[in-house]
């Protein structure tokens, strides 16, 4: 409790707070994380599913996995952690969320300034032409094909070995240069370049706050490491900020 208040005070005096989020922030919405005991990668090997080569080798298998994840995202609801971040943006404290998540729960919670480092699972695009579309239900035909040219459609996510979308990278750069505090929520901090962001902010003299149910690769460089569920801790921080006059 003491620590929550210290964190709230730090946020209160910070000039430019950003958040880095990972799969853990959506866990309480029922979307499984990638690593850990109920992690998605436990049942599937990433190289079998999340690479372009794997997709070309077996589009049906990869699309079955994505169709399952798409329906999970469409059925999920933002949880108190997403809502607390949205509230912090409304308060004028949080300037941006940089997320590794491909779900749409930050925007559905009302957050406006979101940078999607790993793409968007609800956007599909053609591998043969410029056709793209937004999904509001899982594809019925698996694998789905382009209505314009007949090539395979692919999920609009970043796979292993693929670059981060340039626009997302530019926006991240701008926020990183301004940020004097970062809140790192629900990420294991092992996938780069996302994992480098807290280190860069720390090197420039910024503060690092972590919220996670366990210790991570980032924990050693944090100023505050709050252990617990994001959906419980973030609302407490919002409450503490309200007490400070927000
Ligand atoms: P991980 O699955 O690697 O890590 C999830 C983190 O969330 C772990 O550190 C958990 O301890 C933590 N966690 C779980 N439940 C939580 C809760 N209720 N509150 C707070 N923390 C909780 O997920 P990411 O770090 O997001 O990339 O994974 C990074 C990237 O690896 C993903 O974006 C994905 C994957 O490969 C691509 O697909 C490109
Ligand atoms: Zn096409």
């Amino acid at each position: 409790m003491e620590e929550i208040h210290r964190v709230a005070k730090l946020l209160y005096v910070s000039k430019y707070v950003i958040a880095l989020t990972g799969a853990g922030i959506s866990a309480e919405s029922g979307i499984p994380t990638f690593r850990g005991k109920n992690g998605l990668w436990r049942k599937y090997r990433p190289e079998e599913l999340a690479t372009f080569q794997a997709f070309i080798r077996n589009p049906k298998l990869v699309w079955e996995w994505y169709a399952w994840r798409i329906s999970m995202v469409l059925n999920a609801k933002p949880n108190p952690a997403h809502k607390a971040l949205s509230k912090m943006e409304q308060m004028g404290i949080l300037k941006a969320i940089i997320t590794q998540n491909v779900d749409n729960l930050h925007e559905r919670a009302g957050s406006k300034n979101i940078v999607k480092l790993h793409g968007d699972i609800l956007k599909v695009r053609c591998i043969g032409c410029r056709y793209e579309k937004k999904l509001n239900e899982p594809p019925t035909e698996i694998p789905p094909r382009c209505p314009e040219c007949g090539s395979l459609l692919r999920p609009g996510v970043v796979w292993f070995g693929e670059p981060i979308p340039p626009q997302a990278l530019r926006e991240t750069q701008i926020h990183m240069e301004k940020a004097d505090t970062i809140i790192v929520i629900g990420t294991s901090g092992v996938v780069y370049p996302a994992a480098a962001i807290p280190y860069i902010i720390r090197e420039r003299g910024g503060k690092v706050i972590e919220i996670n149910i366990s210790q991570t690769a980032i924990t050693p460089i944090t100023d505050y490491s709050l252990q617990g569920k994001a959906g419980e801790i973030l609302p407490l921080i919002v409450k503490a900020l309200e007490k400070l006059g927000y």
Side-chain angles (χ1 to χ4, degrees):
M1 225 27 189
E2 262 302 287
E3 224 180 3
I4 300 267
H5 281 280
R6 282 201 292 271
V7 165
K9 276 190 192 150
L10 169 61
L11 296 174
Y12 187 81
V13 299
S14 298
K15 303 227 154 25
Y16 202 96
V17 180
I18 62 174
L20 172 68
T21 65
I25 197 167
S26 296
E28 290 160 76
S29 294
I31 300 177
T33 58
F34 291 94
R35 298 169 186 83
K37 60 174 166 30
N38 297 315
L40 283 174
W41 295 142
R42 284 273 153 138
K43 280 184 250 162
Y44 309 94
R45 286 191 314 180
E47 59 274 19
E48 271 171 348
L49 299 170
T51 68
F52 188 73
Q53 291 78 351
F55 176 65
I56 294 303
R57 210 180 306 130
N58 197 341
K60 188 167 174 285
L61 171 72
V62 172
W63 259 113
E64 272 163 4
W65 190 55
Y66 277 94
W68 171 65
R69 289 178 58 202
I70 286 166
S71 65
M72 219 154 33
V73 166
L74 291 168
N75 289 321
K77 287 194 191 67
N79 68 54
H82 299 104
K83 290 180 193 160
L85 288 186
S86 166
K87 178 85 185 161
M88 281 168 63
E89 185 182 50
Q90 281 167 26
M91 289 169 149
I93 291 180
L94 186 67
K95 300 297 192 266
I97 297 171
I98 298 168
T99 188
Q100 300 166 83
N101 298 345
V102 295
D103 64 43
N104 59 1
L105 297 180
H106 284 305
E107 47 267 49
R108 279 167 59 199
S111 288
K112 300 282 179 256
N113 208 354
I114 304 161
V115 180
K116 294 192 159 215
L117 280 179
H118 293 167
D120 183 337
I121 200 171
L122 298 177
K123 279 190 190 153
V124 296
R125 63 175 193 269
C126 178
I127 65 167
C129 74
R130 300 178 75 92
Y131 177 84
E132 37 176 60
K133 102 176 207 196
K134 183 99 189 163
L135 297 176
N136 37 41
E137 56 181 14
T140 37
E141 177 203 352
I142 302 258
R145 293 202 168 260
C146 176
E148 313 256 316
C149 77
S151 303
L152 285 167
L153 293 178
R154 63 163 285 176
V157 301
V158 175
W159 279 326
F160 287 103
E162 293 183 329
I164 303 290
Q167 179 65 17
L169 211 50
R170 274 193 293 274
E171 288 174 18
T172 300
Q173 201 73 40
I174 292 169
H175 292 307
M176 266 193 324
E177 274 163 23
K178 294 185 181 167
D180 53 358
T181 298
I182 185 166
I183 317 173
V184 183
I185 307 150
T187 177
S188 54
V190 295
V191 174
Y192 283 80
I197 298 171
Y199 287 89
I200 294 168
I201 288 177
R202 170 85 202 191
E203 253 166 38
R204 293 198 180 132
K207 303 282 188 201
V208 180
I209 300 163
E210 178 175 58
I211 301 171
N212 201 300
I213 51 170
S214 24
Q215 305 236 326
T216 73
I218 315 266
T219 310
I221 62 144
T222 56
D223 295 278
Y224 294 98
S225 164
L226 304 175
Q227 253 194 44
K229 290 183 174 178
E232 289 168 9
I233 292 179
L234 279 166
L236 290 176
I237 295 176
V238 166
K239 257 198 200 140
L241 283 167
E242 281 165 344
K243 273 201 193 139
L244 289 171
Y246 273 97

